[in-house]
Amino acid sequence: MADTGDTAACDVVTVPARQGLEAVDLLRLRHGVGPVLHDREGETLGFLVPPGTAARWNLPGSACTRAGTDAPVGGRPSVAGSCWLVPPEGAVARATEPERLRAAIYEAVNTLAVVDRCGGVVRR
């Protein structure tokens, strides 16, 4: 997606960084991912999703908030203490499709649970 400097309404789904990084990888491999924010402390990722997602988002371990009309679509993120993990110019869409994100987060949580049960190593 080209960085046009435009802003558009969006919502932001926030997840713990570990699950979020796995979800980003899954989305990149399968469908592509929209812009993703990363907090500087490394604790959370924020996926930009279409406006209206917050009203119907219900996935334990995550939160979806309305970001309004000043969404960080181009340039520097407007969320204090954050930077781009996937910048708008490197994203395939203006926002990540919510159902694809939900599926990727769900798969990431399950995959990481298996890794944790195996002591951090998946044996084949």
Side-chain angles (χ1 to χ4, degrees):
M1 180 176 88
D3 182 5
T4 63
D6 296 337
T7 61
C10 75
D11 292 347
V12 178
V13 172
T14 305
V15 297
R18 187 170 182 229
Q19 289 88 356
L21 290 169
E22 185 73 21
V24 166
D25 285 345
L26 291 167
L27 288 164
R28 281 183 171 162
L29 289 171
R30 296 183 182 155
H31 311 290
V33 65
V36 180
L37 292 163
H38 189 268
D39 70 355
R40 293 204 177 142
E41 288 78 37
E43 296 177 9
T44 62
L45 294 186
F47 292 82
L48 272 61
V49 292
T53 302
R56 59 188 184 281
W57 188 263
N58 183 17
L59 184 65
S62 68
C64 187
T65 55
R66 291 178 28 185
T69 57
D70 294 326
V73 177
R76 185 172 176 197
S78 62
V79 179
S82 65
C83 59
W84 291 114
L85 177 68
V86 178
E89 59 273 8
V92 299
R94 191 172 290 277
T96 300
E97 200 280 320
E99 290 309 313
R100 288 180 175 169
L101 176 58
R102 182 186 313 276
I105 292 170
Y106 182 77
E107 185 174 345
V109 167
N110 288 325
T111 299
L112 292 169
V114 170
V115 169
D116 291 345
R117 281 194 305 269
C118 294
V121 177
V122 177
R123 294 173 183 88
R124 295 182 183 202

